[in-house]
Amino acid sequence: MDLDKHDSADPGRRQPQNPVAPADPAGAVRASDADRDRTADILREALAEGRLDAEEHAERIDAVYRAKTVGELEPIVRDLPAGRSPRREPAFHTDGPEAAAGPSENLVAVFSSSTRKGRWRVGARTRAFSLFGNIEIDLTEAMFGQRLSVINAISIFGNVEVRVPENISLRGSGTGVFGNFEVVTLEAADPEAPVVVVNGCSVFGNVEAKPKRGKRVADLHDRLRKHLGH
């Protein structure tokens, strides 16, 4: 008996099939603040390199902060060289091993002004977006509930000013495109003092972060320990 022919003619014999790989569900994952910030950072670099103009950048930034899932973020930067999955890109230059975590606060000024000052609790992340507007962030009387606070500032034909007390650490990096981006680096004498990092970009505008002369947060170490629950 020809076994090969018999097997091939047997209608009940099942031929091996390649398993079908399940669809990657990563795109359906809800986007975090860190995912949005990483995507915004890619757009900032593209704007600085001239790959996007100011109008395109503003439109995409708006889409970034409206996105609900990671899958909605990926097409926004897919045509850019750095447009890999936003989960793999560093969000901020923190100059240290610590990363900001926790809730974020958004300050937006479009043909208007927005101010945050006085006695308020600084969040781990603050996003400031100014389009033909003015944003003032005054941390001189603020309460720091964590050691590292990151401010991501974007100014397009606008102005973003950050003021900090003289006894904290201030760091940052950014890009000015026909505009000004300036962070006055400050290192606190107290190694456990809060650290404020200002990143972002300015297009035909101004982003400025510096200490406010004569303003100091008293009992800095004790206040920080109290807010951290130690």
Side-chain angles (χ1 to χ4, degrees):
M1 180 182 293
D2 191 335
L3 295 179
D4 292 337
K5 292 182 179 179
H6 176 77
D7 290 344
S8 61
D10 184 358
R13 180 181 177 84
R14 295 184 178 178
Q15 299 298 324
Q17 298 179 353
N18 293 328
V20 178
D24 181 9
V29 174
R30 297 284 292 189
S32 67
D33 288 337
D35 291 330
R36 296 185 185 91
D37 290 337
R38 289 169 190 141
T39 305
D41 199 52
I42 293 175
L43 294 176
R44 176 179 65 83
E45 294 297 333
L47 178 65
E49 294 170 358
R51 301 182 190 276
L52 298 175
D53 60 30
E55 183 178 355
E56 291 172 323
H57 179 266
E59 291 176 354
R60 296 196 188 196
I61 282 291
D62 181 67
V64 165
Y65 291 112
R66 291 178 182 271
K68 300 298 184 183
T69 67
V70 172
E72 293 175 9
L73 288 173
E74 291 174 350
I76 298 173
V77 293
R78 185 174 294 161
D79 60 343
L80 301 175
R84 297 185 294 274
S85 169
R87 298 185 300 276
R88 301 175 185 175
E89 292 296 321
F92 303 103
H93 305 287
T94 59
D95 295 330
E98 298 175 82
S104 62
E105 180 171 358
N106 295 322
L107 297 174
V108 179
V110 179
F111 291 96
S112 62
S113 63
S114 179
T115 302
R116 199 72 166 94
K117 64 180 181 179
R119 194 74 169 165
W120 63 289
R121 179 184 290 271
V122 182
R125 299 177 189 274
T126 300
R127 290 190 293 264
F129 178 73
S130 173
L131 176 63
F132 290 99
N134 181 70
I135 295 177
E136 179 186 357
I137 302 175
D138 190 338
L139 305 177
T140 56
E141 298 180 16
M143 297 179 293
F144 293 86
Q146 64 286 317
R147 183 162 184 263
L148 176 62
S149 300
V150 177
I151 299 174
N152 193 39
I154 297 175
S155 174
I156 301 176
F157 292 98
N159 180 61
V160 178
E161 295 183 2
V162 181
R163 296 292 180 263
V164 302
E166 291 186 314
N167 56 335
I168 72 168
S169 294
L170 176 63
R171 306 167 190 167
S173 65
T175 304
V177 181
F178 296 104
N180 176 61
F181 189 99
E182 180 183 4
V183 176
V184 178
T185 302
L186 181 68
E187 290 296 329
D190 184 353
E192 297 189 28
V195 178
V196 175
V197 178
V198 180
N199 295 322
C201 68
S202 170
V203 182
F204 291 99
N206 176 66
V207 174
E208 181 181 85
K210 64 182 181 180
K212 196 169 184 177
R213 185 173 298 177
K215 293 292 186 178
R216 299 176 65 84
V217 178
D219 302 322
L220 197 57
H221 180 67
D222 291 339
R223 288 187 181 184
L224 182 61
R225 288 174 60 87
K226 179 179 179 181
H227 288 300
L228 291 177
H230 297 311

